[in-house]
Amino acid sequence: MDSPMRFSYSLTNYYQNFRLYVKSRSDWQLADVDGPTDICTPLESFNGIDLYPCGLVANSFFNDTFEASFCPSCNTSECTILGADEWQRTGISWHSDRQTKFNARAVEADETNTGPAGFPIPFPVPPSPGDNEDFIIWMRAAGLPTFRKLYSKVERSFSGGDCIRVNISNNYPVDPFGGTKSIILEEVNWMNGRNSFLGALYIVFGCCAIIASVGFGILQHQNPRKLADPDLIPADARVAA
C-alpha cells in the first residue's frame, strides 16, 4: 500500500440525516457570532445550564480514539507508533469549515460543554479552533445511514508482510441504535477514495436509460408518427392561412 492513505471510522444504522437531528444545531454559536440557539431544540441546555455547543449533532459526537503503530510482522511486539508526520491529524476537514464555519472560544461561566453523553464535547480546544478537526468532521452530517468519516491521513507506505496495530479507546456505544462501528485504512486515488455506491448508481441509471431508449425506438417503429403532420393539430387551434 502506497501513501498517501486515509484512516477512517465507519458507523452503520446511524441516521444523521433525520430531520430533527440534523436541524438541532446553531451555526451561529459554532461560528461565534450573534444568533439564536433555540434551534438546538431539544438540546439547547442540560440540567438547566446552557450547552456549548448545543444541539443533538454536537452532543452525539463520536469519541472513540485511535493510535496506530507499525510492526515489521504481526508476530512481533517491536512496534513503532506512527509519528505526527506519518499520522496526520490536521488538515483533514474542509478548509471552508475551518476558516469560516467554526470559531472556537472559551466556555463561559454560565455554560457547560458536558451534555447527556457524560463527557466534555471537545470544542473548543485552545489555542485555535483547528486543533480539533474531529468535531468539525462530525458536524458535517452524512446523507446515508452507513457512512465513514476521516480520522487521520497516513503518510507512509507499507509492504507485504507489514502489520499495522491500532489501539482503540472504545468509548462510543452503538448497541442503543442497533449499529456497528469499524475502521478502514484505504489508499487514495485520483477520485480521493472508494465510492462504490456512486458507481453502482450510475450503472443502474445508465441501464434504465438504455432500456427506455430501446423501448421508445420499438414504439416509434411499430407506430410511426409523421413529423409536422397538420392533421394532428386540433381543429379549434388551427389558424387560417
Side-chain angles (χ1 to χ4, degrees):
M1 300 178 70
D2 297 325
S3 65
M5 288 179 284
R6 303 196 310 179
F7 182 89
S8 309
Y9 62 87
S10 176
L11 292 175
T12 64
N13 202 38
Y14 198 112
Y15 290 84
Q16 275 198 316
N17 59 351
F18 185 65
R19 183 173 179 270
L20 177 62
Y21 177 91
V22 77
K23 290 186 66 177
S24 180
R25 58 184 291 166
S26 173
D27 290 318
W28 294 274
Q29 186 192 53
L30 295 171
D32 194 22
V33 297
D34 292 336
T37 58
D38 56 349
I39 56 176
C40 286
T41 302
L43 206 55
E44 183 181 356
S45 61
F46 182 65
N47 290 335
I49 305 175
D50 291 340
L51 276 170
Y52 176 75
C54 65
L56 293 173
V57 184
N59 286 272
S60 59
F61 173 71
F62 184 84
N63 64 330
D64 281 8
T65 59
F66 310 96
E67 182 183 69
S69 302
F70 165 74
C71 309
S73 70
C74 294
N75 297 321
T76 182
S77 59
E78 298 179 357
C79 302
T80 304
I81 297 176
L82 297 184
D85 293 337
E86 299 171 322
W87 185 256
Q88 297 184 2
R89 301 280 287 116
T90 58
I92 57 177
S93 61
W94 287 26
H95 182 268
S96 59
D97 287 353
R98 297 194 304 270
Q99 295 298 318
T100 61
K101 294 185 179 181
F102 293 85
N103 186 22
R105 61 167 174 81
V107 180
E108 297 179 355
D110 59 346
E111 295 176 328
T112 180
N113 62 350
T114 302
F119 62 90
I121 303 301
F123 178 80
V125 176
S128 66
D131 285 348
N132 191 345
E133 297 188 36
D134 295 329
F135 178 81
I136 296 176
I137 291 175
W138 177 259
M139 293 300 292
R140 184 168 285 276
L144 298 173
T146 297
F147 59 86
R148 62 181 63 176
K149 291 182 180 287
L150 181 63
Y151 186 84
S152 173
K153 293 188 293 186
V154 181
E155 292 290 343
R156 177 169 183 155
S157 299
F158 300 96
S159 304
D162 291 345
C163 187
I164 305 170
R165 291 182 179 173
V166 181
N167 293 325
I168 303 174
S169 296
N170 186 17
N171 303 313
Y172 199 77
V174 294
D175 291 339
F177 57 89
T180 62
K181 55 184 177 180
S182 56
I183 56 175
I184 303 103
L185 180 64
E186 61 179 344
E187 291 181 296
V188 178
N189 53 32
W190 65 274
M191 294 185 66
N192 201 35
R194 177 185 174 190
N195 191 344
S196 56
F197 172 78
L198 193 61
L201 188 65
Y202 286 158
I203 292 174
V204 170
F205 273 97
C207 292
C208 291
I210 293 175
I211 293 173
S213 62
V214 171
F216 282 119
I218 295 174
L219 184 64
Q220 174 65 20
H221 178 74
Q222 292 181 344
N223 301 285
R225 173 182 174 182
K226 181 180 177 181
L227 295 178
D229 188 355
D231 294 335
L232 297 177
I233 302 177
D236 56 351
R238 297 181 185 181
V239 179

